Every structure is written in C-alpha cells, then in structure tokens.
Amino acid sequence: MVKAYELRGLSKDELLKQLSDSRKELSDLAVAKVTGGAASKVAKIGSVRKNIARILTVHNQQQKAAIRKASAGQKYISKDLRLKKTRAMRRALTKAERSQKTLKQQKRDTHFPQRKFAIKA
C-alpha cells in the first residue's frame, strides 16, 4: 500500500510510472480472479484499486497546484480554480456594494441627521 505523503515527494514521471505499474498489476489480478486464482490475489484487488486512486489524486493535485502557480497574478482566474462556495454566496453583494448609499439616502442623512437627546439624571 502506498501512502499519499510518500507519493507527494515523487515527480510527475515517477507517479505515472507507478500508475502504469499498478494498472498492470490490477489487470493481472483480474485475470487471476477469472481463472480461479488464490484467494489472497482476489482480496488484493481492492487495495490495488485504492492505490491507483491515491496516485491519481496526488497527480491531479500536483497538476492543479502547477496551474494555480502559473496563473497567479493574472486578471482572471479560470473557473475550475475559483472558490466554489455556494451559488447564493457567489451572487451576494460585496462589502463595498453593501455599504454604498443612493443619492436620495445621502441627502436624507445630511438634511435630517440622527437627533441627540440629553437625559436628565
């Protein structure tokens, strides 16, 4: 079983080589299952599939990190790199938009300020 932290230290070529080895092993195990191979081989199929998934996950993470690094400082970010959040959160007003006042509201605030009352003790 390969660990994700071990895979992160590998280069792209090493990852792809390990991926092809794991896929080859999986196909061998599938053949062994069909031909009625040992139970240990049949049980190993699950772990090999998980290893393939781990390798692909690390590979995809590395690719995405490289794309992020390449696109840093650009005016627009590609959609797959943007924050997901929720649809409502993406469409919500920004702080600057929220704090803006209409001309009518500005006039009202200047001409009719909040009254200050002194309280007798």
Side-chain angles (χ1 to χ4, degrees):
M1 187 175 106
V2 287
K3 301 275 187 195
Y5 70 89
E6 294 168 352
L7 293 172
R8 284 193 178 89
L10 301 177
S11 69
K12 180 185 172 186
D13 298 328
E14 292 170 329
L15 274 176
L16 294 175
K17 170 127 177 44
Q18 199 160 3
L19 180 65
S20 63
D21 293 344
S22 294
R23 283 189 170 151
K24 175 83 173 81
E25 186 182 356
L26 183 63
S27 65
D28 293 343
L29 291 172
V31 169
K33 182 182 177 184
V34 171
T35 57
S40 62
K41 281 193 173 184
V42 174
K44 198 176 177 190
I45 290 175
S47 66
V48 172
R49 287 181 66 195
K50 291 271 173 86
N51 286 344
I52 291 171
R54 275 190 205 97
I55 294 166
L56 285 171
T57 300
V58 170
H59 181 255
N60 289 335
Q61 285 174 344
Q62 286 179 351
Q63 269 188 327
K64 204 159 199 175
I67 293 168
R68 271 187 207 283
K69 198 173 184 182
S71 66
Q74 290 182 344
K75 185 174 181 182
Y76 297 110
I77 304 169
S78 64
K79 284 192 173 179
D80 61 334
L81 298 179
R82 292 179 197 168
L83 293 175
K84 181 82 169 94
K85 297 188 177 179
T86 61
R87 192 165 189 266
M89 286 174 80
R90 290 194 302 267
R91 279 153 182 74
L93 295 174
T94 62
K95 274 191 172 180
E97 290 169 338
R98 259 185 279 150
S99 65
Q100 284 182 339
K101 290 184 179 180
T102 61
L103 185 62
K104 188 173 183 177
Q105 186 64 46
Q106 288 171 2
K107 285 179 181 177
R108 188 181 291 159
D109 290 345
T110 54
H111 293 102
F112 304 101
Q114 183 75 41
R115 291 185 178 178
K116 296 182 183 83
F117 297 97
I119 300 170
K120 263 188 188 174

